[in-house]
Amino acid sequence: MSFSRFDHQCMATALKLAARGFFSPHPNPRVGCVITKGQNILGRGRHEFAGGAHAEIAALRDAREDVKGTTAYITLEPCSHHGRTPPCTEALLSAGVSRIVVASSDPNPQVHGQGLKMLRNAGVAVEIGLMAGEAEALNQGFFMRMRKGRPWVRVKTAISLDGRTALGNGDSKWISSEVSRRDVQKWRARSSAVLTGIGTVLADNPAMNVRLDNTQLGQYGQSPSRQPLRIIADSRWRTPVDSAILADPATVIIAGTRDVAVPPELEATGAQCIALPAIAGRTDLVALLGRLAEMELNEIQVEAGARLCGSLLQDRLVDELLIYQAPQLLGEGGPGPFTLGPLESMDERTHLKLLETRRLGNDWRFRLAPEYRN
């Protein structure tokens, strides 16, 4: 399908609008919309928060002229069912929009193809596929949850030049620079939840919350910020009730195993305790991610020790790695970022595809994707 230069410009604008909603639409996808007549933009909109107006409705409201006979550029297929809000397809038809350009179809089975079919049946010219890759990249977690029944999993770690995450005595504050730690906060803010392990809770007593305000969040900070859920993989239910992470227990999920009873004092904190099957004495991570998908969590950021991060990699559950490397040498005895066990041949290596590098102060951030092979 052939798209004009103006089509590309309008979809690029819609994608920028969608990106401004990085921190707020959860669990809905990030969507932007631009409505044009001729070479003029009449309305712009984005989906700001679940239960609020979808991008199409926001753009229709923003338009100051009659939108009959206009073109709508939308980063994701308009919804055709009643969810938290009425269907956007009906609103577009009622407004008289005559052409729809969509970046990507919606992977949600309740929507997939139905919205486009409804529009075409009503005589609207529908074109799809313009900048589809960019649109899907904005909603990796939503697409993963709809397609594979689990959230997108991003593992974050900070290492020294010699590959250590701490000294031999466990001291790790701070390997990365203040600039890197502020960058981590932005990735944490865009996540549905932060996952850590009981080892990290016991060793570091982290809060795992977002400590940046909207201004500090930068170009994506125009929406009200929210705290992601905190999840603790704690197979034996050892989380201390006075842990910093439990300061707001209503936002904490503790995932343990069914073969050990949940301590009454831990249940009394108000944290949600989820009992899951055990595999080799640890929480079944596949079952955990499946349960998190049922809770409509799209993106999980893992900030944990080598054992949990290594287990996720070995189970092929990691989609993305954020590695912050500082120009330091921590010497022998310190842990590495992943416990993978000894490999018997080079064929067992984990291959990584380099997606992006970025300098942050004196540190480097590497964004990588595992390439799982047979």
Side-chain angles (χ1 to χ4, degrees):
M1 189 171 293
S2 178
F3 294 101
S4 70
R5 181 177 180 181
F6 184 70
D7 290 335
H8 280 84
Q9 290 173 344
C10 290
M11 187 60 77
T13 299
L15 288 165
K16 288 179 181 178
L17 288 167
R20 288 176 60 191
F22 251 116
F23 303 122
S24 57
H26 167 86
N28 292 347
R30 304 160 181 130
V31 183
C33 177
V34 170
I35 296 176
T36 68
K37 179 174 286 188
Q39 298 290 302
N40 299 316
I41 294 179
L42 302 185
R44 299 174 175 86
R46 64 185 174 91
H47 183 42
E48 294 193 33
F49 57 91
H54 284 194
E56 300 91 326
I57 307 303
L60 289 170
R61 292 173 179 172
D62 184 59
R64 298 179 181 179
E65 301 178 20
D66 182 11
V67 298
K68 187 175 182 180
T70 56
T71 296
Y73 297 86
I74 313 168
T75 59
L76 193 68
E77 176 183 0
C79 62
S80 56
H81 70 292
H82 285 268
R84 294 180 176 90
T85 59
C88 293
T89 49
E90 293 182 3
L92 292 167
L93 291 173
S94 297
V97 175
S98 60
R99 178 178 177 237
I100 305 286
V101 180
V102 175
S104 174
S105 61
D106 193 325
N108 185 344
Q110 291 183 296
V111 179
H112 186 66
Q114 297 303 308
L116 302 180
K117 181 179 179 180
M118 182 181 296
L119 292 166
R120 287 191 177 110
N121 288 344
V124 176
V126 176
E127 301 170 43
I128 187 169
L130 177 58
M131 304 179 77
E134 292 90 332
E136 184 167 342
L138 279 174
N139 292 296
Q140 294 166 317
F142 181 76
F143 275 75
M144 178 66 73
R145 178 164 66 88
M146 291 299 165
R147 288 173 174 170
K148 296 189 177 181
R150 69 167 178 84
W152 180 272
V153 176
R154 179 186 304 110
V155 170
K156 166 265 167 183
T157 188
I159 62 172
S160 62
L161 199 60
D162 51 352
R164 311 295 183 185
T165 60
L167 299 176
N169 63 10
D171 187 9
S172 62
K173 295 184 178 179
W174 295 99
I175 294 176
S176 58
S177 67
E178 183 178 349
V179 178
S180 291
R181 296 196 299 275
R182 189 161 57 245
D183 187 70
V184 171
Q185 290 282 312
K186 295 179 181 179
W187 287 93
R188 189 182 286 182
R190 67 168 279 174
S191 304
S192 306
V194 179
L195 170 63
T196 193
I198 182 60
T200 299
V201 172
L202 294 176
D204 300 334
N205 192 28
M208 292 291 181
N209 58 352
V210 176
R211 295 182 290 277
L212 298 180
D213 60 27
N214 285 347
T215 302
Q216 293 171 309
L217 287 174
Q219 62 176 317
Y220 301 133
Q222 292 85 351
S223 299
S225 61
R226 58 163 185 84
Q227 289 295 335
L229 294 175
R230 274 76 54 78
I231 305 165
I232 308 168
D234 179 8
S235 59
R236 318 306 287 179
W237 310 104
R238 294 185 292 151
T239 301
V241 296
D242 59 350
S243 298
I245 201 169
L246 287 175
D248 183 6
T251 65
V252 177
I253 297 170
I254 304 174
T257 55
R258 294 171 180 164
D259 57 350
V260 179
V262 181
E265 60 272 19
L266 193 57
E267 282 190 306
T269 64
Q272 183 176 357
C273 297
I274 300 175
L276 297 168
I279 294 181
R282 63 174 172 84
T283 303
D284 184 337
L285 297 175
V286 174
L288 172 58
L289 292 181
R291 183 69 66 86
L292 298 180
E294 292 174 359
M295 297 177 180
E296 297 186 296
L297 303 186
N298 292 329
E299 294 183 20
I300 305 299
Q301 178 149 312
V302 181
E303 301 185 26
R307 183 181 177 190
L308 177 55
C309 292
S311 294
L312 286 163
L313 267 176
Q314 287 183 318
D315 290 347
R316 300 189 170 198
L317 298 173
V318 177
D319 302 297
E320 186 177 16
L321 295 170
L322 283 179
I323 298 181
Y324 296 82
Q325 188 168 45
Q328 304 170 11
L329 299 172
L330 298 186
E332 297 182 3
F338 308 103
T339 298
L340 298 174
L343 306 183
E344 296 182 358
S345 75
M346 293 295 281
D347 292 336
E348 297 177 300
R349 290 173 294 175
T350 300
H351 295 265
L352 304 172
K353 179 181 180 180
L354 181 61
L355 303 176
E356 179 190 36
T357 60
R358 182 178 177 184
R359 186 166 182 175
L360 297 168
N362 287 328
D363 300 345
W364 283 95
R365 185 191 73 197
F366 299 92
R367 192 165 66 89
L368 309 109
E371 294 184 317
Y372 299 115
R373 304 179 182 183
N374 293 332

